[in-house]
Amino acid sequence: MDPSPDQNVRIPWWVTALDVLSAVVAGLLLRSVVSDDYQIRFTETLEISLRSSTRVAIWLAALLGLRHFLWRAVPWHARVGGTLRALVRSDALRAAWGPFIVSRTVVLSAGFVAVNTIGFVTKGRPAWDLGSSVLELFERWDAWWYFRIARQGYLYRSFFDPVQESEVAFFPALPLLMRAGRVVLDVNLWLAGIIIVTLAFVWGLTYVYRLARLDVPPAEARASVMFLAFYPFAVCYSAVLTESLFLLAAAGAFFHFRRGELWKAGLFGFFIGLLRPNGFQLAVPLGLMALLPFARHRGWIPRTEQGPVTNVRWPDLLVQLAIAALPILGMLLYAEHLDRLTGNPFAFVEAQQAWGRKPLGILDILNDRWALIRTEGWSGYVDLHMAEILDGAAALLGLAAIWPVTRRFGAAYGVFVAMTVLPPIISLGALSLGRFTAPLFPIFLWLGTSVPSERRPYLLAVFAAGQALIAVLFYTWRPPY
């Protein structure tokens, strides 16, 4: 939905950049008026001090004057007002709010009760006092690593030992956002992280709805959002972890790429390459979204009914492939930083060994589990590997979804699921696959379209019960994670 008053006006990208910059300066002006001698501190030695709101007002007036002089078709105030009205009236936001509020209530309530009744099993209560037992639920598992990186960065290492736990295993996008949130919102790093992951989850749900609406009716799009929000392993969206940002970036990149809004898709793609070790893999489905329509137009492969035939020129294809490759660029930038830090550009891969994530091979894992079942019985296997059973169920759902997702929504969607699910299964078994499958929106698009409307409440009830169970385990430091 175009927020401008004139729906036929196409607003250039550089005007959008000026509008965003003006909005940021307007926010700084408001902060400088409310907070006397407001300071923005980036590091201990780098800070910006806003001692005069008059000076900031002059900057804002200069930006708005330049913008008005260069482009007058849609005034800045009309653009901002239109954007806010479009946001409030957005069908996508209305579809996201309900599932978000109810599912987060289930997750945080179950976690709060579990912490205060069952208690912790292996670790103590979070050391950082946020003044709220509910907010402290967000301080779980890898959240401490992201907080540590945001606070002190990646420490220089003259040598790298892959068997020792190290911050190099964690990509920098979330810590950088936490630092930015601390600067802009004037809160501590933990609160900044909580705000970021929560807003990213809501925003990600809106993108899932908008993406679904490109192919399915509103009722099925809303069902897809609900299945995603109540998925048992969607507990990870209520911790300072990367899943909510991964959902947002992946769904946003898919949506804008399909609509031909390449610079927006490129921003999300580049960001996801800096977010997680597997983020660079998004380049493959994005590349397929460029290549397959081009190949159909040329007659190289049979035409299908999935979307219009586009990309008829080689220059267009090359531009889209360059945009699709931006997730790889993001990953390589982090690898280059690690090369200077440790001498090993791919230290983040080897660092996984410190958490027991060693390539064992699926056959070795199956043989080991079968030997255990023969000696201890199924009850012994369940007692020792309940977390693996839960993760295995998520792995089976991901595997089962690959073909129907491909058939219903296209190869790019199916490949996205396969590239996320298959490598961990082949090399690591079902370890952490529940968390890996949580942001895989094509699975939930498939469920939203394939589950009959009269049966959706039953599946949602099962998901909600499973979500409460996982929340109890997750927040009391028990596997699976």
Side-chain angles (χ1 to χ4, degrees):
M1 181 175 181
D2 190 344
S4 63
D6 187 347
Q7 298 291 329
N8 296 319
V9 175
R10 185 175 181 86
I11 301 177
W13 68 268
W14 56 268
V15 175
T16 298
L18 278 176
D19 288 344
V20 171
L21 182 59
S22 299
V24 171
V25 175
L28 293 177
L29 175 61
L30 179 62
R31 288 300 303 269
S32 65
V33 171
V34 173
S35 302
D36 187 28
D37 192 19
Y38 175 62
Q39 291 183 332
I40 302 176
R41 175 168 293 182
F42 297 97
T43 67
E44 294 298 327
T45 59
L46 178 61
E47 67 179 34
I48 297 177
S49 180
L50 303 179
R51 292 186 172 88
S52 171
S53 57
T54 303
R55 183 176 300 177
V56 184
I58 293 173
W59 293 347
L60 178 60
L63 282 172
L64 294 179
L66 177 64
R67 197 262 197 205
H68 181 72
F69 175 76
L70 295 176
W71 205 76
R72 304 180 184 181
V74 181
W76 182 78
H77 66 276
R79 181 89 188 277
V80 173
T83 299
L84 294 176
R85 287 192 299 272
L87 180 63
V88 171
R89 300 172 183 173
S90 167
D91 291 338
L93 186 60
R94 288 199 293 265
W97 268 123
F100 165 76
I101 292 173
V102 177
S103 67
R104 295 314 92 187
T105 300
V106 170
V107 166
L108 296 176
S109 297
F112 178 82
V113 171
V115 166
N116 289 279
T117 56
I118 300 173
F120 302 103
V121 62
T122 60
K123 300 178 184 289
R125 184 175 294 275
W128 192 277
D129 183 10
L130 296 178
S132 168
S133 298
V134 174
L135 293 181
E136 287 170 2
L137 294 174
F138 287 80
E139 304 175 38
R140 290 300 187 273
W141 301 92
D142 291 344
W144 274 97
W145 285 101
Y146 291 113
F147 170 77
R148 177 177 174 177
I149 296 168
R151 182 177 59 181
Q152 65 188 27
Y154 295 92
L155 301 180
Y156 172 77
R157 299 174 182 273
S158 57
F159 66 94
F160 170 68
D161 185 357
V163 300
Q164 297 293 325
E165 292 185 358
S166 169
E167 67 272 11
V168 302
F170 303 93
F171 275 45
L174 176 54
L176 289 173
L177 286 179
M178 292 171 69
R179 286 189 178 185
R182 177 183 62 181
V183 167
V184 174
L185 302 174
D186 196 24
V187 296
N188 65 52
L189 287 171
W190 277 119
L191 288 177
I194 292 170
I195 293 170
I196 287 166
V197 298
T198 302
L199 292 179
F201 183 43
V202 177
W203 195 4
L205 290 177
T206 66
Y207 263 117
V208 171
Y209 178 83
R210 296 171 70 189
L211 186 61
R213 287 291 291 117
L214 298 179
D215 299 298
V216 303
E220 294 181 357
R222 287 192 293 269
S224 301
V225 171
M226 294 185 69
F227 285 135
L228 193 156
F230 284 95
Y231 182 57
F233 288 94
V235 170
C236 59
Y237 295 122
S238 291
V240 183
L241 303 171
T242 58
E243 275 69 27
S244 59
L245 291 166
F246 188 89
L247 171 69
L248 168 62
F254 264 71
F255 176 77
H256 291 297
F257 206 96
R258 284 193 58 178
R259 286 167 55 94
E261 299 166 341
L262 297 183
W263 72 270
K264 294 181 181 179
L267 287 176
F268 279 123
F270 179 74
F271 174 79
I272 207 171
L274 289 169
L275 183 65
R276 281 168 50 161
N278 66 336
F280 75 96
Q281 295 176 347
L282 187 68
V284 177
L286 292 183
L288 287 174
M289 292 173 70
L291 284 169
L292 292 179
F294 182 84
R296 292 190 189 104
H297 176 79
R298 297 270 170 165
W300 298 343
I301 58 175
R303 295 191 177 187
T304 66
E305 297 180 358
Q306 293 169 348
V309 178
T310 57
N311 307 343
V312 297
R313 299 186 305 163
W314 281 102
D316 296 332
L317 175 64
L318 295 177
V319 170
Q320 294 196 18
L321 290 178
I323 296 296
L326 286 176
I328 299 175
L329 176 61
M331 180 271 292
L332 291 178
L333 285 178
Y334 179 57
E336 191 275 335
H337 175 70
L338 290 185
D339 187 42
R340 291 186 285 109
L341 187 70
T342 68
N344 181 357
F346 299 104
F348 64 87
V349 178
E350 297 184 18
Q352 303 298 324
Q353 299 178 33
W355 284 269
R357 294 173 179 172
K358 300 178 181 179
L360 300 175
I362 187 64
L363 293 180
D364 294 333
I365 296 173
L366 291 176
N367 289 333
D368 178 73
R369 299 302 183 265
W370 179 242
L372 174 65
I373 292 171
R374 285 188 299 176
T375 57
E376 301 292 336
W378 284 100
S379 61
Y381 171 68
V382 172
D383 290 340
L384 292 174
H385 297 287
M386 175 56 73
E388 187 175 88
I389 292 174
L390 295 174
D391 273 326
L396 290 177
L397 175 63
L399 290 174
I402 293 174
W403 172 243
V405 163
T406 303
R407 188 174 181 180
R408 177 65 179 84
F409 296 100
Y413 289 74
V415 167
F416 177 56
V417 175
M419 292 188 68
T420 304
V421 174
L422 289 176
I425 291 178
I426 295 171
S427 62
L428 304 172
L431 182 65
S432 297
L433 263 169
R435 177 169 58 95
F436 291 164
T437 55
L440 294 183
F441 58 86
I443 295 177
F444 306 102
L445 297 184
W446 165 56
L447 291 176
T449 58
S450 62
V451 177
S453 58
E454 65 273 12
R455 297 182 182 178
R456 290 170 189 162
Y458 301 106
L459 182 57
L460 285 172
V462 172
F463 271 19
Q467 190 170 80
L469 171 62
I470 298 298
V472 169
L473 300 174
F474 182 87
Y475 289 117
T476 58
W477 296 100
R478 290 173 169 88
Y481 169 64

Short mmCIF file of all heavy atoms in Angstrom, two decimals, residues 411-461:
data_model
loop_
_atom_site.label_atom_id
_atom_site.label_comp_id
_atom_site.label_asym_id
_atom_site.label_seq_id
_atom_site.Cartn_x
_atom_site.Cartn_y
_atom_site.Cartn_z
N ALA A 411 9.77 -23.56 -6.41
CA ALA A 411 11.05 -24.17 -6.04
C ALA A 411 11.81 -23.33 -5.03
O ALA A 411 12.49 -23.87 -4.14
CB ALA A 411 11.90 -24.40 -7.28
N ALA A 412 11.74 -22.01 -5.12
CA ALA A 412 12.50 -21.16 -4.21
C ALA A 412 12.08 -21.40 -2.77
O ALA A 412 12.92 -21.47 -1.86
CB ALA A 412 12.31 -19.69 -4.58
N TYR A 413 10.78 -21.54 -2.54
CA TYR A 413 10.27 -21.79 -1.19
C TYR A 413 10.72 -23.15 -0.68
O TYR A 413 11.14 -23.29 0.48
CB TYR A 413 8.75 -21.70 -1.17
CG TYR A 413 8.19 -20.31 -1.34
CD1 TYR A 413 8.20 -19.67 -2.57
CD2 TYR A 413 7.62 -19.64 -0.26
CE1 TYR A 413 7.67 -18.40 -2.73
CE2 TYR A 413 7.08 -18.37 -0.41
CZ TYR A 413 7.11 -17.76 -1.65
OH TYR A 413 6.59 -16.49 -1.80
N GLY A 414 10.60 -24.17 -1.54
CA GLY A 414 11.01 -25.51 -1.12
C GLY A 414 12.49 -25.62 -0.86
O GLY A 414 12.91 -26.27 0.10
N VAL A 415 13.29 -24.98 -1.70
CA VAL A 415 14.74 -25.00 -1.51
C VAL A 415 15.12 -24.29 -0.22
O VAL A 415 16.03 -24.71 0.50
CB VAL A 415 15.45 -24.38 -2.72
CG1 VAL A 415 16.92 -24.10 -2.43
CG2 VAL A 415 15.33 -25.30 -3.93
N PHE A 416 14.44 -23.21 0.10
CA PHE A 416 14.71 -22.48 1.35
C PHE A 416 14.51 -23.40 2.56
O PHE A 416 15.32 -23.43 3.49
CB PHE A 416 13.79 -21.27 1.44
CG PHE A 416 13.93 -20.48 2.71
CD1 PHE A 416 15.16 -19.96 3.10
CD2 PHE A 416 12.83 -20.25 3.52
CE1 PHE A 416 15.29 -19.23 4.27
CE2 PHE A 416 12.95 -19.52 4.69
CZ PHE A 416 14.18 -19.01 5.07
N VAL A 417 13.42 -24.19 2.55
CA VAL A 417 13.18 -25.13 3.64
C VAL A 417 14.24 -26.23 3.64
O VAL A 417 14.82 -26.56 4.68
CB VAL A 417 11.77 -25.73 3.53
CG1 VAL A 417 11.56 -26.81 4.60
CG2 VAL A 417 10.71 -24.65 3.66
N ALA A 418 14.51 -26.79 2.47
CA ALA A 418 15.45 -27.91 2.39
C ALA A 418 16.85 -27.51 2.83
O ALA A 418 17.53 -28.26 3.54
CB ALA A 418 15.48 -28.45 0.96
N MET A 419 17.30 -26.32 2.42
CA MET A 419 18.66 -25.90 2.76
C MET A 419 18.80 -25.59 4.25
O MET A 419 19.92 -25.58 4.78
CB MET A 419 19.04 -24.67 1.95
CG MET A 419 19.20 -24.94 0.47
SD MET A 419 19.87 -23.52 -0.42
CE MET A 419 21.54 -23.47 0.23
N THR A 420 17.69 -25.33 4.92
CA THR A 420 17.75 -25.07 6.37
C THR A 420 17.65 -26.36 7.17
O THR A 420 18.29 -26.51 8.21
CB THR A 420 16.62 -24.12 6.78
OG1 THR A 420 16.70 -22.92 6.00
CG2 THR A 420 16.72 -23.76 8.25
N VAL A 421 16.88 -27.32 6.68
CA VAL A 421 16.60 -28.54 7.44
C VAL A 421 17.59 -29.66 7.16
O VAL A 421 18.07 -30.32 8.09
CB VAL A 421 15.16 -29.01 7.15
CG1 VAL A 421 14.89 -30.36 7.82
CG2 VAL A 421 14.16 -27.98 7.64
N LEU A 422 17.93 -29.89 5.90
CA LEU A 422 18.72 -31.06 5.55
C LEU A 422 20.15 -31.05 6.08
O LEU A 422 20.61 -32.06 6.62
CB LEU A 422 18.72 -31.26 4.04
CG LEU A 422 17.38 -31.73 3.44
CD1 LEU A 422 17.47 -31.80 1.92
CD2 LEU A 422 17.02 -33.10 4.01
N PRO A 423 20.92 -29.96 5.94
CA PRO A 423 22.30 -30.01 6.43
C PRO A 423 22.43 -30.36 7.91
O PRO A 423 23.27 -31.21 8.26
CB PRO A 423 22.83 -28.60 6.13
CG PRO A 423 22.01 -28.12 4.98
CD PRO A 423 20.65 -28.69 5.22
N PRO A 424 21.63 -29.78 8.82
CA PRO A 424 21.76 -30.20 10.21
C PRO A 424 21.40 -31.66 10.44
O PRO A 424 22.02 -32.34 11.27
CB PRO A 424 20.78 -29.28 10.96
CG PRO A 424 20.60 -28.10 10.06
CD PRO A 424 20.70 -28.65 8.68
N ILE A 425 20.40 -32.17 9.71
CA ILE A 425 20.02 -33.57 9.88
C ILE A 425 21.15 -34.49 9.43
O ILE A 425 21.50 -35.46 10.10
CB ILE A 425 18.73 -33.87 9.08
CG1 ILE A 425 17.53 -33.16 9.71
CG2 ILE A 425 18.47 -35.37 9.03
CD1 ILE A 425 16.25 -33.37 8.97
N ILE A 426 21.75 -34.17 8.30
CA ILE A 426 22.79 -35.02 7.75
C ILE A 426 24.03 -35.04 8.63
O ILE A 426 24.67 -36.08 8.82
CB ILE A 426 23.15 -34.56 6.32
CG1 ILE A 426 21.95 -34.78 5.39
CG2 ILE A 426 24.37 -35.30 5.79
CD1 ILE A 426 22.12 -34.17 4.02
N SER A 427 24.37 -33.89 9.20
CA SER A 427 25.63 -33.80 9.94
C SER A 427 25.47 -33.87 11.44
O SER A 427 26.36 -34.36 12.14
CB SER A 427 26.34 -32.49 9.59
OG SER A 427 25.56 -31.38 9.98
N LEU A 428 24.34 -33.42 11.98
CA LEU A 428 24.22 -33.29 13.43
C LEU A 428 23.01 -33.98 14.02
O LEU A 428 22.75 -33.85 15.20
CB LEU A 428 24.15 -31.79 13.81
CG LEU A 428 25.30 -30.91 13.34
CD1 LEU A 428 24.98 -29.46 13.63
CD2 LEU A 428 26.59 -31.31 14.03
N GLY A 429 22.26 -34.73 13.23
CA GLY A 429 21.03 -35.29 13.75
C GLY A 429 19.97 -34.23 13.86
O GLY A 429 19.89 -33.31 13.07
N ALA A 430 19.13 -34.33 14.90
CA ALA A 430 18.02 -33.40 15.07
C ALA A 430 18.38 -32.23 15.98
O ALA A 430 17.51 -31.46 16.37
CB ALA A 430 16.81 -34.14 15.64
N LEU A 431 19.64 -32.07 16.31
CA LEU A 431 20.05 -31.06 17.27
C LEU A 431 19.61 -29.65 16.85
O LEU A 431 19.92 -29.20 15.76
CB LEU A 431 21.57 -31.09 17.43
CG LEU A 431 22.18 -30.14 18.45
CD1 LEU A 431 21.72 -30.51 19.84
CD2 LEU A 431 23.70 -30.16 18.36
N SER A 432 18.85 -28.98 17.72
CA SER A 432 18.40 -27.60 17.55
C SER A 432 17.48 -27.40 16.36
O SER A 432 17.21 -26.25 15.99
CB SER A 432 19.61 -26.66 17.40
OG SER A 432 20.41 -26.67 18.56
N LEU A 433 16.96 -28.46 15.77
CA LEU A 433 16.14 -28.28 14.58
C LEU A 433 14.79 -27.64 14.89
O LEU A 433 14.17 -27.05 14.01
CB LEU A 433 15.95 -29.62 13.86
CG LEU A 433 16.92 -29.81 12.71
CD1 LEU A 433 16.89 -31.23 12.19
CD2 LEU A 433 16.61 -28.84 11.58
N GLY A 434 14.32 -27.77 16.12
CA GLY A 434 13.10 -27.05 16.45
C GLY A 434 13.28 -25.56 16.28
O GLY A 434 12.43 -24.88 15.68
N ARG A 435 14.40 -25.04 16.79
CA ARG A 435 14.68 -23.61 16.64
C ARG A 435 14.93 -23.25 15.19
O ARG A 435 14.52 -22.18 14.73
CB ARG A 435 15.90 -23.26 17.50
CG ARG A 435 16.36 -21.84 17.39
CD ARG A 435 17.40 -21.55 18.47
NE ARG A 435 18.53 -22.44 18.38
CZ ARG A 435 19.67 -22.16 17.74
NH1 ARG A 435 19.79 -21.01 17.11
NH2 ARG A 435 20.67 -23.02 17.71
N PHE A 436 15.60 -24.13 14.43
CA PHE A 436 15.88 -23.84 13.03
C PHE A 436 14.61 -23.76 12.20
O PHE A 436 14.53 -22.99 11.24
CB PHE A 436 16.81 -24.90 12.44
CG PHE A 436 18.21 -24.88 12.97
CD1 PHE A 436 19.06 -25.96 12.78
CD2 PHE A 436 18.68 -23.80 13.68
CE1 PHE A 436 20.36 -25.94 13.27
CE2 PHE A 436 19.97 -23.76 14.18
CZ PHE A 436 20.81 -24.84 13.98
N THR A 437 13.61 -24.58 12.55
CA THR A 437 12.38 -24.61 11.74
C THR A 437 11.43 -23.47 12.09
O THR A 437 10.53 -23.16 11.30
CB THR A 437 11.64 -25.94 11.92
OG1 THR A 437 11.39 -26.16 13.32
CG2 THR A 437 12.46 -27.10 11.37
N ALA A 438 11.59 -22.84 13.24
CA ALA A 438 10.64 -21.81 13.66
C ALA A 438 10.50 -20.67 12.66
O ALA A 438 9.38 -20.20 12.42
CB ALA A 438 11.03 -21.27 15.05
N PRO A 439 11.59 -20.15 12.05
CA PRO A 439 11.42 -19.04 11.09
C PRO A 439 11.14 -19.48 9.66
O PRO A 439 11.11 -18.63 8.77
CB PRO A 439 12.78 -18.31 11.15
CG PRO A 439 13.59 -19.00 12.21
CD PRO A 439 13.02 -20.35 12.35
N LEU A 440 10.93 -20.77 9.42
CA LEU A 440 10.73 -21.24 8.05
C LEU A 440 9.28 -21.01 7.64
O LEU A 440 8.44 -21.91 7.65
CB LEU A 440 11.11 -22.72 7.94
CG LEU A 440 12.59 -23.04 8.15
CD1 LEU A 440 12.85 -24.53 7.94
CD2 LEU A 440 13.46 -22.22 7.19
N PHE A 441 8.98 -19.78 7.26
CA PHE A 441 7.61 -19.38 6.94
C PHE A 441 6.96 -20.21 5.85
O PHE A 441 5.72 -20.37 5.87
CB PHE A 441 7.58 -17.89 6.57
CG PHE A 441 8.44 -17.52 5.41
CD1 PHE A 441 7.99 -17.64 4.12
CD2 PHE A 441 9.74 -17.06 5.62
CE1 PHE A 441 8.78 -17.30 3.04
CE2 PHE A 441 10.55 -16.72 4.54
CZ PHE A 441 10.07 -16.84 3.25
N PRO A 442 7.70 -20.80 4.86
CA PRO A 442 6.99 -21.62 3.87
C PRO A 442 6.25 -22.81 4.48
O PRO A 442 5.20 -23.22 3.97
CB PRO A 442 8.11 -22.09 2.94
CG PRO A 442 9.16 -21.04 3.04
CD PRO A 442 9.11 -20.61 4.48
N ILE A 443 6.78 -23.37 5.58
CA ILE A 443 6.09 -24.48 6.24
C ILE A 443 4.71 -24.03 6.70
O ILE A 443 3.71 -24.75 6.54
CB ILE A 443 6.91 -24.98 7.44
CG1 ILE A 443 8.23 -25.59 6.96
CG2 ILE A 443 6.12 -26.01 8.25
CD1 ILE A 443 9.14 -26.04 8.09
N PHE A 444 4.62 -22.83 7.23
CA PHE A 444 3.37 -22.36 7.80
C PHE A 444 2.43 -21.83 6.72
O PHE A 444 1.21 -21.87 6.89
CB PHE A 444 3.67 -21.32 8.88
CG PHE A 444 4.61 -21.85 9.91
CD1 PHE A 444 5.96 -21.49 9.90
CD2 PHE A 444 4.18 -22.76 10.86
CE1 PHE A 444 6.85 -22.00 10.82
CE2 PHE A 444 5.07 -23.29 11.79
CZ PHE A 444 6.40 -22.91 11.77
N LEU A 445 2.99 -21.37 5.61
CA LEU A 445 2.14 -21.06 4.45
C LEU A 445 1.47 -22.34 3.96
O LEU A 445 0.28 -22.33 3.60
CB LEU A 445 2.98 -20.44 3.34
CG LEU A 445 3.65 -19.10 3.62
CD1 LEU A 445 4.35 -18.59 2.36
CD2 LEU A 445 2.67 -18.07 4.11
N TRP A 446 2.22 -23.42 3.93
CA TRP A 446 1.67 -24.71 3.51
C TRP A 446 0.58 -25.17 4.47
O TRP A 446 -0.50 -25.60 4.05
CB TRP A 446 2.79 -25.74 3.42
CG TRP A 446 2.33 -27.16 3.35
CD1 TRP A 446 1.48 -27.71 2.44
CD2 TRP A 446 2.69 -28.21 4.26
NE1 TRP A 446 1.29 -29.05 2.71
CE2 TRP A 446 2.02 -29.37 3.82
CE3 TRP A 446 3.51 -28.28 5.37
CZ2 TRP A 446 2.15 -30.59 4.48
CZ3 TRP A 446 3.66 -29.49 6.02
CH2 TRP A 446 2.98 -30.63 5.58
N LEU A 447 0.84 -25.08 5.79
CA LEU A 447 -0.18 -25.48 6.75
C LEU A 447 -1.42 -24.62 6.64
O LEU A 447 -2.55 -25.12 6.73
CB LEU A 447 0.40 -25.39 8.18
CG LEU A 447 1.48 -26.40 8.55
CD1 LEU A 447 2.01 -26.12 9.95
CD2 LEU A 447 0.94 -27.82 8.46
N GLY A 448 -1.23 -23.33 6.43
CA GLY A 448 -2.37 -22.43 6.33
C GLY A 448 -3.26 -22.73 5.14
O GLY A 448 -4.47 -22.47 5.18
N THR A 449 -2.67 -23.27 4.08
CA THR A 449 -3.45 -23.58 2.87
C THR A 449 -3.95 -25.02 2.84
O THR A 449 -4.94 -25.30 2.16
CB THR A 449 -2.62 -23.33 1.61
OG1 THR A 449 -1.43 -24.14 1.65
CG2 THR A 449 -2.20 -21.87 1.52
N SER A 450 -3.28 -25.93 3.55
CA SER A 450 -3.63 -27.34 3.44
C SER A 450 -4.53 -27.84 4.56
O SER A 450 -5.26 -28.83 4.36
CB SER A 450 -2.35 -28.20 3.42
OG SER A 450 -1.61 -28.04 4.62
N VAL A 451 -4.50 -27.21 5.73
CA VAL A 451 -5.36 -27.63 6.83
C VAL A 451 -6.75 -27.05 6.63
O VAL A 451 -6.90 -25.82 6.53
CB VAL A 451 -4.78 -27.18 8.19
CG1 VAL A 451 -5.73 -27.57 9.33
CG2 VAL A 451 -3.40 -27.78 8.41
N PRO A 452 -7.79 -27.88 6.56
CA PRO A 452 -9.15 -27.35 6.37
C PRO A 452 -9.55 -26.40 7.51
O PRO A 452 -9.09 -26.55 8.65
CB PRO A 452 -10.02 -28.61 6.38
CG PRO A 452 -9.08 -29.73 6.02
CD PRO A 452 -7.76 -29.34 6.59
N SER A 453 -10.36 -25.43 7.18
CA SER A 453 -10.72 -24.39 8.15
C SER A 453 -11.35 -24.97 9.41
O SER A 453 -11.11 -24.46 10.52
CB SER A 453 -11.67 -23.38 7.50
OG SER A 453 -12.84 -24.03 7.03
N GLU A 454 -12.15 -26.05 9.28
CA GLU A 454 -12.80 -26.60 10.47
C GLU A 454 -11.82 -27.34 11.38
O GLU A 454 -12.11 -27.58 12.56
CB GLU A 454 -13.94 -27.54 10.05
CG GLU A 454 -13.50 -28.79 9.31
CD GLU A 454 -13.37 -28.58 7.81
OE1 GLU A 454 -13.40 -27.41 7.38
OE2 GLU A 454 -13.25 -29.59 7.08
N ARG A 455 -10.64 -27.67 10.87
CA ARG A 455 -9.66 -28.40 11.69
C ARG A 455 -8.55 -27.49 12.23
O ARG A 455 -7.74 -27.93 13.05
CB ARG A 455 -9.01 -29.52 10.87
CG ARG A 455 -10.01 -30.58 10.42
CD ARG A 455 -9.33 -31.70 9.66
NE ARG A 455 -10.28 -32.70 9.20
CZ ARG A 455 -9.96 -33.77 8.47
NH1 ARG A 455 -8.69 -33.97 8.13
NH2 ARG A 455 -10.89 -34.63 8.09
N ARG A 456 -8.51 -26.25 11.78
CA ARG A 456 -7.45 -25.35 12.23
C ARG A 456 -7.47 -25.12 13.74
O ARG A 456 -6.41 -25.11 14.36
CB ARG A 456 -7.56 -24.01 11.50
CG ARG A 456 -7.18 -24.10 10.02
CD ARG A 456 -7.52 -22.82 9.29
NE ARG A 456 -7.35 -22.98 7.85
CZ ARG A 456 -7.89 -22.17 6.95
NH1 ARG A 456 -8.62 -21.13 7.35
NH2 ARG A 456 -7.69 -22.38 5.66
N PRO A 457 -8.64 -24.94 14.37
CA PRO A 457 -8.61 -24.75 15.84
C PRO A 457 -7.97 -25.91 16.58
O PRO A 457 -7.30 -25.69 17.61
CB PRO A 457 -10.10 -24.59 16.20
CG PRO A 457 -10.75 -24.10 14.94
CD PRO A 457 -10.01 -24.78 13.83
N TYR A 458 -8.15 -27.14 16.11
CA TYR A 458 -7.58 -28.29 16.79
C TYR A 458 -6.05 -28.29 16.69
O TYR A 458 -5.34 -28.54 17.68
CB TYR A 458 -8.15 -29.59 16.21
CG TYR A 458 -9.65 -29.69 16.32
CD1 TYR A 458 -10.46 -29.52 15.20
CD2 TYR A 458 -10.26 -29.94 17.55
CE1 TYR A 458 -11.84 -29.61 15.29
CE2 TYR A 458 -11.64 -30.03 17.65
CZ TYR A 458 -12.42 -29.86 16.52
OH TYR A 458 -13.80 -29.94 16.62
N LEU A 459 -5.54 -27.99 15.48
CA LEU A 459 -4.09 -27.95 15.32
C LEU A 459 -3.50 -26.79 16.11
O LEU A 459 -2.43 -26.92 16.73
CB LEU A 459 -3.73 -27.81 13.84
CG LEU A 459 -2.22 -27.79 13.54
CD1 LEU A 459 -1.53 -29.04 14.07
CD2 LEU A 459 -1.97 -27.65 12.03
N LEU A 460 -4.19 -25.65 16.14
CA LEU A 460 -3.72 -24.52 16.93
C LEU A 460 -3.69 -24.85 18.42
O LEU A 460 -2.77 -24.44 19.14
CB LEU A 460 -4.59 -23.29 16.69
CG LEU A 460 -4.38 -22.57 15.36
CD1 LEU A 460 -5.44 -21.50 15.16
CD2 LEU A 460 -2.99 -21.95 15.29
N ALA A 461 -4.68 -25.62 18.88
CA ALA A 461 -4.68 -26.03 20.29
C ALA A 461 -3.50 -26.94 20.60
O ALA A 461 -2.86 -26.80 21.65
CB ALA A 461 -6.00 -26.73 20.62
#
